[in-house]
Amino acid sequence: MSTEDHSYSYTEEKQAYLRRLKRAEGQVRGIARMIEEDKYCIDILTQMAAVNKALHAVSIGLLEDHIAHCVVNAAHESAETGNPEIVSDKVSEATAAISRLLRS
C-alpha cells in the first residue's frame, strides 16, 4: 500500500489504538500533575513506565499490521510484476521502524 492511498493496514484496529493513546495521554497529564504536586519520584517513574508500555504496545501493533498487510501485499505485487524492489522497499520501511523503536 502506498502512503498516497490513505487506506492503511491499521484501519481495523484504529479505535483500539486511539483508546490506548488517549489513556496514555491522560496518564501523561497525571504524571505532570504528580510532578507539580511533588509526589514521590518512584511513583512518578512507575507511571512513566506504564505510559511507555502503552506506547510500546501501540507501536508493536502498528508494526505487526504493517508487516501483515503492507509487506505481504508488496510481496504479492512483487511476485505479480517481477519487480523485487516493491517488497524490498516495504521491508526497508519495517526495518527502519524497528530500528527507531529499538533506539527509543
Side-chain angles (χ1 to χ4, degrees):
M1 290 185 171
S2 72
T3 56
E4 291 82 29
D5 67 12
H6 302 293
S7 177
Y8 300 110
S9 59
Y10 63 82
T11 301
E12 291 180 21
E13 297 297 323
K14 183 177 179 177
Q15 293 308 312
Y17 291 149
L18 287 172
R19 278 191 304 276
R20 187 154 220 166
L21 290 170
K22 286 177 192 278
R23 193 175 321 125
E25 180 182 20
Q27 287 175 297
V28 169
R29 282 193 302 273
I31 292 167
R33 214 170 18 258
M34 290 174 78
I35 291 172
E36 287 172 352
E37 296 170 0
D38 296 320
K39 298 294 183 183
Y40 186 53
C41 53
I42 297 301
D43 293 339
I44 294 168
L45 291 170
T46 299
Q47 290 304 308
M48 292 182 77
V51 170
N52 285 332
K53 183 178 177 184
L55 294 176
H56 185 253
V58 172
S59 297
I60 293 299
L62 288 168
L63 184 59
E64 183 178 3
D65 290 341
H66 178 72
I67 292 169
H69 297 110
C70 299
V71 174
V72 169
N73 289 341
H76 291 303
E77 186 179 345
S78 179
E80 290 172 2
T81 64
N83 182 355
E85 289 183 25
I86 296 169
V87 71
S88 179
D89 289 346
K90 291 298 177 188
V91 169
S92 292
E93 284 179 348
T95 302
I98 292 167
S99 178
R100 287 189 300 273
L101 286 172
L102 291 174
R103 286 192 305 256
S104 63

